Amino acid sequence: MLNLERLRTLDALARHGSVSGAAEALHVTTSAVSQQLGKLEREVGQQLLAKNGRGVRLTDAGRLLSEHAARILSQVELAQSDLEAHRGQVVGELRLSAFPTAARGLFPTALAALRARHPALRVRSCELEPENGVAGVVRGDLDLAVVLDWYNKPMPVPDGLVKAPLLDDPADVAMPAGHRHAERAEVDLGEFADDEWITWGEGEFCHEWLIFTLRSRGVEPIVGHRAAETHTQLGLVASGLGVCIAPRLGRHPVPPGVVMVPLTQRVRRQVYVVWRADADRRPSIRAAVQALRMAAETVG
């Protein structure tokens, strides 16, 4: 009889690629992961792991069993979802993430509402960039993630996930109060060819979107500074160090010395929440989506 927790450990190692990664995802020690996998090898009577430099890799048998483990765990998730739906109560633990401005703009209202309406539900939240949030839901580390598309560059969502829209979030250009366009009613991105841009980290979805969009407007961007947080970006703008794109969700308060000017292109990002299809019937998922939508209505 295969042990479910040991299968979960094997699945975590297959997904994360290392004993330390599996331990971090499961919130246990690396020693505990090694012990569970050793017991699983004795149960099945086959070698599941082989040394690979300083780490380990799955053997053919390990890969075969890990594929079955992923399907078994998905079925367990579906069974739990059906049982929770049958009971009809919003209980248990719910893990969710949001990118920073959505966490700031939506989580305080949404999570407070969940606590008030469903005191038996334990919610755990964190800030993650959209692509990391999606990956966390796919892996099973998260139950839901608030993520985004830009109007001209959607973010890929893997099969097996469900998505629900929350709001459309307009974006402006933030510039120093003394900027040559600060008195304008609207601006075009093509007018910033000579400006330094303050943007997100290299490789992040929002940074890649900005570079793609500026180039589509005939601008080869001059990137002067990078910062993950909107308020850090706005602080750099206030000091006259460049301009940045500033979506409206979660950006207040705007520091003194920064002017927001709308774009003629009406740049928007679509904010939505994703979860696994096999958890679709869980009352806690439905309650969280409802709370997020109500919080989004107050923002809009």
Side-chain angles (χ1 to χ4, degrees):
M1 199 66 180
L2 293 171
N3 180 281
L4 189 62
E5 287 308 309
R6 290 165 197 159
L7 289 178
R8 197 181 304 279
T9 303
L10 178 65
D11 178 65
L13 186 138
R15 288 186 284 107
H16 294 278
S18 67
V19 171
S20 60
E24 183 177 355
L26 296 171
H27 306 290
V28 298
T29 64
T30 55
S31 175
V33 169
S34 297
Q35 289 175 15
Q36 288 282 58
L37 292 174
K39 290 177 181 178
L40 185 58
E41 285 186 324
R42 290 192 291 274
E43 281 180 350
V44 300
Q46 295 188 57
Q47 184 179 358
L48 302 176
L49 302 178
K51 289 185 178 180
N52 185 29
R54 294 185 177 180
V56 295
R57 61 172 177 81
L58 292 174
T59 64
D60 289 344
R63 283 194 297 272
L64 178 64
L65 185 56
S66 71
E67 291 170 2
H68 283 290
R71 290 193 291 271
I72 291 167
L73 294 170
S74 178
Q75 285 298 311
V76 170
E77 176 78 30
L78 183 59
Q80 291 173 334
S81 176
D82 285 345
L83 284 171
E84 191 176 322
H86 184 266
R87 184 169 51 183
Q89 297 177 348
V90 181
V91 297
E93 181 175 272
L94 194 70
R95 302 155 299 170
L96 67 164
S97 74
F99 56 94
T101 50
R104 187 182 308 118
L106 297 176
F107 273 6
T109 300
L111 301 190
L114 275 175
R115 174 174 288 185
R117 294 181 195 129
H118 308 289
L121 178 67
R122 185 173 63 174
V123 178
R124 297 289 178 262
S125 71
C126 64
E127 289 186 358
L128 284 177
E129 291 301 322
E131 57 271 37
N132 295 329
V134 168
V137 174
V138 169
R139 290 194 306 266
D141 300 336
L142 297 168
D143 297 302
L144 302 101
V146 179
V147 297
L148 63 90
D149 287 333
W150 285 97
Y151 75 104
N152 59 342
K153 192 175 177 66
M155 187 177 69
V157 175
D159 293 339
L161 298 189
V162 180
K163 60 189 291 187
L166 297 177
L167 76 155
D168 283 350
D169 185 28
D172 306 311
V173 177
M175 60 191 75
H179 193 277
R180 63 188 183 282
H181 297 321
E183 301 298 323
R184 295 270 299 278
E186 292 182 333
V187 290
D188 187 282
L189 284 174
E191 299 177 275
F192 293 91
D194 297 326
D195 287 271
E196 279 195 77
W197 282 91
I198 300 160
T199 181
W200 297 268
E202 182 74 37
E204 289 186 13
F205 179 67
C206 289
H207 170 78
E208 298 302 322
W209 164 81
L210 179 61
I211 301 302
F212 167 81
T213 303
L214 288 171
R215 286 174 177 165
S216 73
R217 303 296 297 175
V219 175
E220 184 57 38
I222 305 167
V223 177
H225 306 279
R226 302 177 188 276
E229 280 282 349
T230 295
H231 283 137
T232 304
Q233 294 183 7
L234 294 179
L236 295 170
V237 172
S239 295
L241 297 173
V243 300
C244 73
I245 292 289
R248 296 177 188 176
L249 177 64
R251 80 181 182 195
H252 294 291
V254 176
V258 175
V259 174
M260 299 290 178
V261 181
L263 283 156
T264 55
Q265 299 97 315
R266 297 295 183 264
V267 170
R268 292 176 179 269
R269 57 185 186 176
Q270 291 83 43
V271 180
Y272 56 97
V273 58
V274 299
W275 64 94
R276 294 185 304 282
D278 56 18
D280 192 44
R281 296 187 63 203
R282 288 176 57 190
S284 56
I285 295 284
R286 295 172 181 263
V289 172
Q290 181 185 26
L292 287 165
R293 281 177 161 165
M294 293 178 66
E297 288 176 3
T298 64
V299 171

